[in-house]
Amino acid sequence: MRAIEAFVEALPRGTIREATAESETRWGHAQITTERLRSMKHIRNFCIIAHIDHGKSTLADRLLGFTGAVTERESKAQLLDSMDLERERGITIKSHAIQMEYTHEGEEYILNLIDTPGHVDFSYEVSRSIAACEGALLIVDAAQSIQAQTISNLYLALENDLEIIPVLNKVDLPSANPEEVTDDIVDLLGCDPEEVIPASAKTGLGIQEILTAIIERIPHPKGDVDAPLQALIFDSVYNPFRGVETYFKVLNGKIGKRQKIKFIATDKSYFADEVGTLNLTQTPKQEILAGDVGYLITGIKEAKEVKVGDTITDFENPTQEAIAGFEDVKPMVFAGIYPVDTEDYEELRSSMEKLQLNDASLVWQPESSAALGFGFRCGFLGMLHMEIIQERLEREFNMTVITTVPNVSYHAFTRKHPDKPIIVNNPTDLPDPSGLDRVEEPYIKATIITKSDFVGNVMSLCIEKRGMITHQTYLTTDRVELTFDMPLAEIVFDFYDRLKTVSKGYASFDYNPIGMRASKLVRVDILLNAQPVDALSALIHADNAHYIGKKMCEKLKELIPRQQFDIPIQAAIGAKVIARETTKALRKDVTAKCYGGDISRKRKLLEKQKKGKKRMRQVGNVEIPQEAFMAVLKLND
């Protein structure tokens, strides 16, 4: 044998020697390619989607425990919900990715799970998670049945061609109705009743069946390991010590440690300092191949250099096309966020950039207010989203901020340019009413699913909010789906809370924008001590303007602290005052030292005090507490 090898070595180049080496190289490549294809066939990327409080996070905890991804010591309720806010409220705010390993029929599989939020305000998080998956577990509560957000998230998944595995959760509850809810799921998906997996995340029932279904029914990722690198950024987070951590899914090619990479949208290149997979703690790896999900650290310190939906590619051998990313987020609610101390403006800007990195649905731009100084005009997906952002700024970045009255974006048309809309995100931007042709406001299609006992209450609430019923369907004998066309501005404030009140918590709500419609809107300004406070202005339908103006004045009278002088609080439309309240002055008894003597002596002192108060009122500043800016939200309290 050695003699043959020596003979081959001695042969001149271009003969059997070269052919042998070439065949060995090819055989090696074939082995590597087969290995990579085999590994890709053993990867499953899936997310969990459901309505709020149907047991997504509990099921995720149970899957992690069953596959051994976490030890008994590490396990705790809502394991993937890392924020204190998520634990306090019992809701998921951020999508969380984690990798599990599971052996099925003697073969090892890698399962990449993404737990998603269920609230309508975080649907953008859900859409980003879905883009990184091939399948989804659709969780339905056996006691509450299909809710509005269940249907909404299902449509998102179907648009992305995901394989849907229906899971009937909480079957162990005494109030569960598994047969009826299974029929509802079959009607919704058009699947066989046998495909619906009965489970209980609390007791562990059905977990084995769910894992088997994930492996057998969800397709493995498709991609070419040898193609140029093409990876989709679906999330990112700011680490104060290591810079921006980018979460991605590799569609084609591979990404390795110390590789020079390029971000297509920003056209900037970096070296991959560290790549790895997302286990309970980050696990560094030498390379991540096509089909897998991982994290990347490049030492980027500037938050704006990373865009969610961007494509990562190789610097030397770039891909020719970027991945069709996500749609740009469309904010629904706008509000001003201002630092309490004007000196903190730059610090607030830096905090907003870092927060936007972690929450791509937050949109903001600088603005200034006569009452509050420099700040930012922010766009949110809803009221809960706005509340969470404010809370995160205070907790994670120690920023004390003032939030102004939320409103939506309007289109104003002037008589001079009746076809050219002026976008009005702030009521103070509304053009002069004398030259105004019309104002259009955004409308939504609201879908409400409730028990038949509460249909009357829900209808009354929606009609009060200027809604028009377009559809009414009985899903079962006691569950009704109502569809309304409503102005978005009417649901911004207290609609969700009042809907829960009138339906005793049984109504679920979801909405989709359906475009702009002309409405009779007026700007109501609030004047404090004859000075307009731009941060309290609001665009309101003409029919409700007098009522809301009066209510706002009454509410501000309760909230604004008393001064040494009378404070008139007025609501006005243009130059016409439509409501007024007065916060009375604190009375200091200047005549206390005058006992006995002539009345003219007392009158002289009172006149002197009156002049002083008048002068004080001219130069006096009225301090407006934070509660006053949010007073509009609680007008019905």
Side-chain angles (χ1 to χ4, degrees), residues 339-349 376 398-400:
V340 170
D341 190 345
T342 323
E343 290 174 5
D344 295 337
Y345 175 73
E346 283 303 326
E347 200 180 326
L348 179 60
R349 177 193 282 274
F376 300 96
N398 296 321
M399 295 299 309
T400 313

Side-chain angles (χ1 to χ4, degrees), residues 94 124-132 234-235 308 326 359-360:
K94 283 285 301 164
Y124 188 67
E125 285 284 329
V126 181
S127 71
R128 286 160 49 187
S129 307
I130 282 171
F234 67 87
D235 203 358
V308 169
F326 317 109
D359 184 352

Side-chain angles (χ1 to χ4, degrees), residues 347-557:
E347 200 180 326
L348 179 60
R349 177 193 282 274
S350 167
S351 304
M352 296 282 276
E353 281 177 0
K354 288 170 187 171
L355 195 54
Q356 190 180 30
L357 186 73
N358 193 232
D359 184 352
S361 52
L362 170 67
V363 177
W364 54 273
Q365 61 186 53
E367 74 161 6
S368 62
S369 155
L372 300 170
F374 290 103
F376 300 96
R377 190 85 191 151
C378 304
F380 309 96
L381 294 180
M383 289 299 290
L384 177 66
H385 186 214
M386 184 181 104
E387 210 178 303
I388 295 295
I389 291 292
Q390 189 180 345
E391 194 94 12
R392 287 184 72 186
L393 279 170
E394 288 177 7
R395 289 189 187 205
E396 294 173 28
F397 302 99
N398 296 321
M399 295 299 309
T400 313
V401 295
I402 289 174
T403 311
T404 64
V405 177
N407 64 290
V408 298
S409 185
Y410 299 90
H411 286 181
F413 295 84
T414 56
R415 290 199 184 98
K416 202 178 273 185
H417 303 289
D419 301 324
K420 193 179 176 187
I422 298 164
I423 295 167
V424 180
N425 287 336
N426 193 336
T428 50
D429 299 339
L430 190 73
D432 189 81
S434 60
L436 206 57
D437 180 50
R438 68 187 188 281
V439 180
E440 290 182 354
E441 64 177 330
Y443 264 68
I444 55 155
K445 179 187 173 190
T447 307
I448 297 167
I449 297 176
T450 186
K451 287 197 167 185
S452 51
D453 307 358
F454 307 116
V455 170
N457 296 352
V458 171
M459 277 187 167
S460 301
L461 172 65
C462 293
I463 290 162
E464 182 195 323
K465 296 282 186 182
R466 298 193 283 134
M468 288 171 65
I469 188 158
T470 56
H471 210 63
Q472 181 176 349
T473 314
Y474 276 80
L475 302 171
T476 63
T477 49
D478 67 335
R479 285 175 67 250
V480 187
E481 183 182 51
L482 300 167
T483 309
F484 290 88
D485 285 357
M486 292 175 72
L488 179 62
E490 293 290 343
I491 68 147
V492 161
F493 299 137
D494 57 351
F495 179 78
Y496 198 68
D497 294 338
R498 285 185 63 195
L499 179 66
K500 288 289 178 196
T501 307
V502 299
S503 64
K504 297 185 180 172
Y506 279 104
S508 69
F509 172 67
D510 185 39
Y511 62 85
N512 296 304
I514 54 171
M516 311 293 285
R517 294 186 189 175
S519 290
K520 197 180 171 188
L521 298 166
V522 291
R523 188 176 83 205
V524 176
D525 293 315
I526 299 295
L527 289 84
L528 290 181
N529 199 14
Q531 297 296 316
V533 181
D534 56 353
L536 287 172
S537 297
L539 276 175
I540 297 164
H541 195 268
D543 297 347
N544 302 334
H546 284 72
Y547 170 76
I548 288 178
K550 186 170 180 290
K551 280 277 191 184
M552 281 175 79
C553 289
E554 287 170 5
K555 201 79 181 174
L556 289 168
K557 185 186 174 183

Side-chain angles (χ1 to χ4, degrees), residues 52-66:
I52 191 167
D53 205 27
H54 278 206
K56 295 179 301 301
S57 297
T58 314
L59 184 71
D61 294 348
R62 188 63 69 178
L63 288 170
L64 293 172
F66 194 87

